[in-house]
Amino acid sequence: MTQHISPPPTPTPSASPSPSARTDAGYGPGPGPDPAARSWLPPALCLLAFVALYLVAVCTPFGQRAENHLFSGEQGAIPAWVYGVAGGEYGSWALPPMEQTALPTLFVGTALIAAVAVLRRRWWQGLAAVTTVVVTIGAKELVSMFLPRPDLVGAEESLIESSFPSGHAAVPVALVLGALLVVPPRVRPYLATAGMLWSVFAASGVLATYHHRSSDSLGSTLLACACYLVAARLLPERDAPASPWRPRALAPVALAGAAAVALLSGARDDSLLESLVFAAAGFLCAVLFWLTTARGTAAVTGGPSAAVTGRTAP
């Protein structure tokens, strides 16, 4: 009798949620090509907004009067709620990147970014990350040096110094944006959230302590975002095809946290109006940061197979 041998069963791939299923489960869009993240338009808009902000806030009598009016407290930085943790009190320790901690924070943060890139063997991303930090801080120094603050309203001598953009506000934004280029994809949304809260603390804190004007913090954020988007755009195509999944609930939670931090770090005991303006400026920096990372991260995630397999690169 002839024995019939049935062929072995064909192995089936392990079940994994499809991008649509992940979306229905509360996640953002699955990985796939994002042509918008490879566009030159976003960094160009950031730079255009940076120039427009300087021209309006620094180079017009209206802008100067509006921002100088916010320096009305007779006690200076003392009524600011962050005064104690910002290094204002004699012998107090400043929370990075405030006061004298700015440069050490910059050096240590840049070294950590480089170390992560080396450990993960992400050479192009590491180069882009370090370049983002260096160019942001270098451009800030050049702008402060060569873009003057003309005396258009006869302000006091202490208000004539060029402070646009803010270096203390630029340090955390540049470091976090640089780190986003080298960390694993699944870590990026949460690092962006934590980094946004840190940068908002600095952006509003330097305003509440009268170290900078609102345009200074906004200018630093725009400059850092432009450098980050350019770096992401210049990455080789093989290193930048897809975007990671993100929990949908993360954005409202992150922005709500940013609003709370902005209110606390921008608050002063002597003026409700100043507190609200400083908090609003810090929150606007958070929105710019979040929109930039949501777009720019799509340019640095995964490998060429991510769009096909539904997986992100390690």
Side-chain angles (χ1 to χ4, degrees), residues 191-232:
L191 175 61
T193 301
M196 180 175 65
L197 299 181
W198 182 35
S199 63
V200 169
F201 161 76
S204 293
V206 295
L207 306 182
T209 53
Y210 285 179
H211 289 156
H212 282 280
R213 302 170 176 85
S214 299
S215 61
D216 300 341
S217 292
L218 290 170
S220 295
T221 304
L222 286 168
L223 186 61
C225 289
C227 294
Y228 168 75
L229 290 169
V230 169

Side-chain angles (χ1 to χ4, degrees), residues 92-107:
S92 65
W93 178 78
L95 187 67
M98 308 299 280
E99 290 291 346
Q100 71 279 2
T101 64
L103 280 179
T105 301
L106 176 63
F107 295 145

Side-chain angles (χ1 to χ4, degrees), residues 248-279:
R248 282 184 174 176
L250 186 60
V253 170
L255 291 175
V261 172
L263 286 171
L264 289 174
S265 60
R268 289 179 59 92
D269 293 332
D270 57 349
S271 175
L272 176 61
L273 175 62
E274 292 180 14
S275 300
L276 293 177
V277 171
F278 298 153

